[in-house]
Amino acid sequence: MNTSQPILPPAMLGVLGGGQLGRMFVVAAKTMGYQVTVLDPNPDAPAAAFADRHLCAPFDDKAALTELAECAAVTTEFENVSADALHFLADHTVVSPRGDSVSIAQNRIQEKAWIQKAGLETAPYQAVCSLDDITEASAELLPGILKTATLGYDGKGQVRVKTLDELKAAFETLNRVDCILEKMVDLRSEISVIVCRLNSDNEQTFDPAENIHEDGILAYSIVPARLSADVQQQAQDMARRLADELDYVGVLAVEMFVVGDTHSLIVNEMAPRPHNSGHHTLNACTTDQFQQQVRIMCGLPPADTRLLSSCCMANILGDVWKDNGEPDWLPIQTDLHAYLHLYGKKSASRGRKMGHFTVLDQDAGTAFEKAQSLHAKL
Ligand code: ATP
Ligand code: MG
């Protein structure tokens, strides 16, 4: 369904998923005076704490989806929601992002095809859906990474391979599900650009974030990215081109690799939602990525995305809850330029995203050093 009139407070908005992204979405929506319904099967879903209504049911529960469809508009906080659920909702209310955009982002084979369709570079790759797809020609892509086409995140569902024999073994290890084989590229750094798009006349991008991973999980995002202004501009143009090609409506995160001495950019993947690498926008930008999500689903143009201060966002994983004791928040809480965000998750475990903090500083490199030193004190 499509409405031409913007949806205004105190309308009820719906969100599929009640994790930390859903929680920050709810906070943004509530702050603007909207009401929010969250659908999430977890009774302790982080977003439910702030929502007006929590439909505690599976994501494909027809009765719950029918209730959610009564909201003035619905969005999602994660990409692995079934496209069927989004299509069902779209028959009754305004849904963004659209189901077709979400299903493209769910599948690396489709995703890569769309990136190329937008005229953008990817790492050289091929689809591997059966053993027969592995031929002599596949050797061109070695050393490479075999990635499952669906359901991969935080580096899961990936095997690095050097030879055709290793490639075949890896395909077996991944249970012969549809995969893509990607050539290893000469990665110099990783960045992401968040595009906020209502339509071709109303589109904004945030400055690229430089992302530092540890054990396959995002650890720090540094903004502005330590790259030339030209490369940063090019990254924003590329992200926008991809959003245009998809005629995307909503918040889209585009991950890119900075490759080789020339710092050329290739697109790795996209997420049809706010992204962990955009959490700094909560403290460092005129508008944050969750406010943009609210605005766009309500048919409002995305607002100004200006970066007000250089900064570094640091993730807080469950790993820092030693012996189940609460980490020491005092150093962050007493720092006048650090901002703590905790997601209210009931239990901490290794690799689980429990919160983040953002350090502001005149210089992004200094912000990164300060964030590392504060993180070491947790
Ligand atoms: P996430 O959920 O954290 O985004 P993911 O599981 O979806 O991760 P990718 O982003 O595709 O997986 O890959 C994880 C990491 O592996 C990348 O951030 C990058 O460091 C490395 N990597 C992936 N593809 C390549 C490649 N073709 N060449 C070199 N390094 C790569
Ligand atoms: Mg990734």
Side-chain angles (χ1 to χ4, degrees):
M1 253 174 61
N2 219 334
T3 55
S4 47
Q5 283 301 315
I7 297 164
L8 298 172
M12 179 68 84
L13 306 179
V15 59
L16 281 156
Q20 65 268 21
L21 299 176
R23 177 176 168 110
M24 291 181 269
F25 163 81
V26 175
V27 171
K30 294 290 296 173
T31 304
M32 284 185 236
Y34 293 96
Q35 305 171 74
V36 186
T37 299
V38 172
L39 171 59
D40 193 297
N42 175 5
D44 295 324
F50 295 126
D52 296 276
R53 203 156 163 234
H54 178 194
L55 300 168
C56 190
F59 294 116
D60 57 358
D61 185 289
K62 258 284 147 61
L65 285 171
T66 304
E67 286 193 57
L68 196 66
E70 285 166 18
C71 294
V74 174
T75 187
T76 176
E77 68 138 22
F78 67 119
E79 56 269 47
N80 290 321
V81 49
S82 90
D84 281 352
L86 290 179
H87 288 136
F88 169 81
L89 290 165
D91 286 339
H92 301 90
T93 184
V94 182
V95 176
S96 67
R98 287 192 315 272
D100 56 345
S101 303
V102 174
S103 58
I104 291 164
Q106 281 171 358
N107 185 306
R108 288 190 200 272
I109 299 172
Q110 285 190 49
E111 185 177 55
K112 287 269 194 286
W114 274 87
I115 294 165
Q116 295 197 337
K117 201 166 159 222
L120 307 173
E121 292 274 327
T122 65
Y125 77 99
Q126 70 158 107
V128 178
C129 302
S130 78
L131 274 176
D132 293 342
D133 291 331
I134 301 175
T135 64
E136 286 302 314
S138 308
E140 291 285 308
L141 299 173
L142 300 176
I145 309 185
L146 189 67
K147 303 180 179 179
T148 58
T150 61
L151 300 174
Y153 70 99
D154 291 345
K156 294 187 173 64
Q158 301 194 2
V159 187
R160 295 185 177 211
V161 290
K162 291 201 197 71
T163 63
L164 286 176
D165 284 340
E166 281 180 19
L167 172 58
K168 286 178 192 153
F171 187 57
E172 298 291 352
T173 309
L174 295 173
N175 297 320
R176 299 192 192 199
V177 295
D178 289 357
C179 288
I180 64 162
L181 171 64
E182 243 181 76
K183 193 176 173 70
M184 287 295 280
V185 297
D186 177 14
L187 244 185
R188 298 301 167 91
S189 62
E190 301 190 42
I191 60 170
S192 51
V193 175
I194 293 169
V195 191
C196 312
R197 187 178 189 276
L198 177 62
N199 53 42
S200 54
D201 294 330
N202 294 285
E203 207 170 354
Q204 300 274 355
T205 52
F206 287 103
D207 286 326
E210 177 182 339
N211 300 324
I212 313 276
H213 297 85
E214 288 174 1
D215 298 329
I217 302 178
L218 182 67
Y220 298 95
S221 288
I222 303 164
V223 194
R226 295 167 298 177
L227 292 167
S228 73
D230 266 6
V231 175
Q232 294 196 46
Q233 185 58 51
Q234 204 187 325
Q236 295 188 58
D237 293 345
M238 287 168 66
R240 209 181 268 245
R241 218 181 309 156
L242 184 55
D244 287 342
E245 187 66 39
L246 294 162
D247 193 18
Y248 191 82
V249 183
V251 175
L252 177 74
V254 184
E255 292 182 18
M256 298 179 202
F257 294 154
V258 180
V259 179
D261 292 336
T262 56
H263 284 180
S264 57
L265 295 175
I266 64 175
V267 178
N268 175 35
E269 58 176 352
M270 60 186 170
R273 51 169 172 78
H275 195 257
N276 195 169
S277 64
H279 289 355
H280 68 281
T281 61
L282 288 160
N283 298 105
C285 294
T286 45
T287 314
D288 70 62
Q289 59 172 347
F290 303 100
Q291 292 169 329
Q292 303 283 40
Q293 185 179 19
V294 173
R295 294 180 62 84
I296 295 167
M297 75 188 289
C298 290
L300 294 161
D304 179 46
T305 51
R306 208 155 14 110
L307 183 70
L308 299 171
S309 170
S310 302
C311 63
C312 177
M313 187 281 315
N315 264 339
I316 302 170
L317 302 183
D319 310 45
V320 296
W321 269 252
K322 294 177 191 86
D323 305 323
N324 291 322
E326 196 72 14
D328 181 8
W329 303 122
L330 195 66
I332 297 176
Q333 287 293 67
T334 50
D335 188 300
L336 303 187
H337 305 283
Y339 301 90
L340 180 65
H341 298 253
L342 292 174
Y343 308 147
K345 294 187 181 177
K346 296 269 187 249
S347 64
S349 57
R350 250 187 101 70
R352 189 169 196 211
K353 291 175 181 171
M354 303 296 289
H356 73 268
F357 64 93
T358 298
V359 174
L360 305 189
D361 192 277
Q362 279 172 0
D363 175 73
T366 312
F368 179 34
E369 282 164 22
K370 274 188 71 180
Q372 284 175 296
S373 115
L374 283 171
H375 189 275
K377 293 181 185 151
L378 286 173

